[in-house]
Amino acid sequence: MRHLAEEIGARPVTAAEAARSGEIVIVAIPERAIMDLPKDLFEGVPSDVVVIDTANYYPARDHRIAAIDDGQIDSEWVAEQLGRPVVKAFNNIEAASLLEKSRPEGAAGRIDLPVAGDPPAGRAKVMRLVENLGFDAVDAGGLADSWRQQPGTPPYVQDFDEPRLRDALAAADRSRISESRRASNEAASAYFQQRLKPRPPGESRASDRG
């Protein structure tokens, strides 16, 4: 972690310090790890600090989370665990695209990313962040609508422009959430099995999918 921090110019801090470090807090850990965060992580953090949830639920990696399997929306479950409203963003783009495909405002080929969450002011703040990072942002509604960008849905890991992203969000079918998750999970299972194998001491490992 220290080596990575030096490479990207970041300063390692504790989770509690990170939760109190700015106007936006990005939670970018596997879904299963949400439960390991301190229960009072955001206690005393001002209400206008926005929390971004970038995670995706993959049972092959995260094991079974009964509430989600029983129908709760992924990010609603995350918000419940954190005791804090969240905005869903950056979960439907591959790490390589996020790293390599940002473009100046107005440039051809600029990718659009969906942003869903509550309250609207928090969603707007995250949309501005998306745009400052070199992507366009599409307002995808409240957190209850965030299922439209979960694994297996039409917009997931697709580098769409605005018209195609809006069409993909509209084409998402809530009645197929379980089916879509199952197909996405099966497709990713081999990847996770490989990534989660014990590694020899000192051998580096790239981060898991979101």
Side-chain angles (χ1 to χ4, degrees):
M1 181 64 72
R2 183 173 299 172
H3 174 75
L4 176 61
E6 292 174 354
E7 182 179 329
I8 64 176
R11 180 173 64 88
V13 297
T14 66
E17 290 172 317
R20 292 158 177 79
S21 63
E23 296 181 17
I24 295 177
V25 177
I26 300 176
V27 180
I29 56 178
E31 199 94 338
R32 69 179 187 278
I34 297 291
M35 293 181 284
D36 297 329
L37 292 173
K39 298 304 179 185
D40 61 349
L41 181 61
F42 291 100
E43 187 174 318
V45 175
S47 60
D48 61 348
V49 172
V50 178
V51 179
I52 299 178
D53 170 32
T54 70
N56 293 302
Y57 175 45
Y58 282 97
R61 177 195 61 192
D62 300 314
H63 309 296
R64 184 173 183 266
I65 299 176
I68 297 177
D69 286 339
D70 290 343
Q72 188 172 17
I73 302 304
D74 296 17
S75 286
E76 290 184 337
W77 177 85
V78 171
E80 186 177 279
Q81 302 306 304
L82 296 178
R84 185 85 177 192
V86 301
V87 175
K88 187 79 164 185
F90 301 111
N91 74 296
N92 77 311
I93 184 171
E94 292 276 15
S97 293
L98 187 62
L99 180 65
E100 300 168 2
K101 295 186 178 181
S102 63
R103 299 287 186 273
E105 184 176 0
R110 190 153 139 131
I111 295 170
D112 278 65
L113 300 180
V115 178
D118 306 309
R123 188 163 69 244
K125 187 179 287 188
V126 175
M127 291 177 69
R128 289 194 295 272
L129 174 64
V130 169
E131 290 162 359
N132 288 339
L133 291 175
F135 303 91
D136 286 328
V138 166
D139 189 332
L143 199 63
D145 295 312
S146 63
W147 62 270
R148 295 181 181 275
Q149 62 200 71
Q150 290 178 178
T153 58
Y156 190 66
V157 294
Q158 302 293 326
D159 294 338
F160 286 150
D161 58 13
E162 181 178 355
R164 290 190 297 168
L165 177 57
R166 291 192 181 279
D167 287 346
L169 289 167
D173 183 347
R174 186 162 185 170
S175 70
R176 300 184 62 186
I177 286 179
S178 295
E179 178 186 340
S180 298
R181 178 182 296 122
R182 183 166 52 251
S184 184
N185 186 64
E186 289 174 356
S189 290
Y191 171 86
F192 288 128
Q193 288 173 6
Q194 180 64 31
R195 304 307 296 176
L196 297 177
K197 283 182 179 179
R199 298 294 180 91
E203 183 175 338
S204 64
R205 182 200 301 276
S207 60
D208 288 344
R209 290 187 177 187

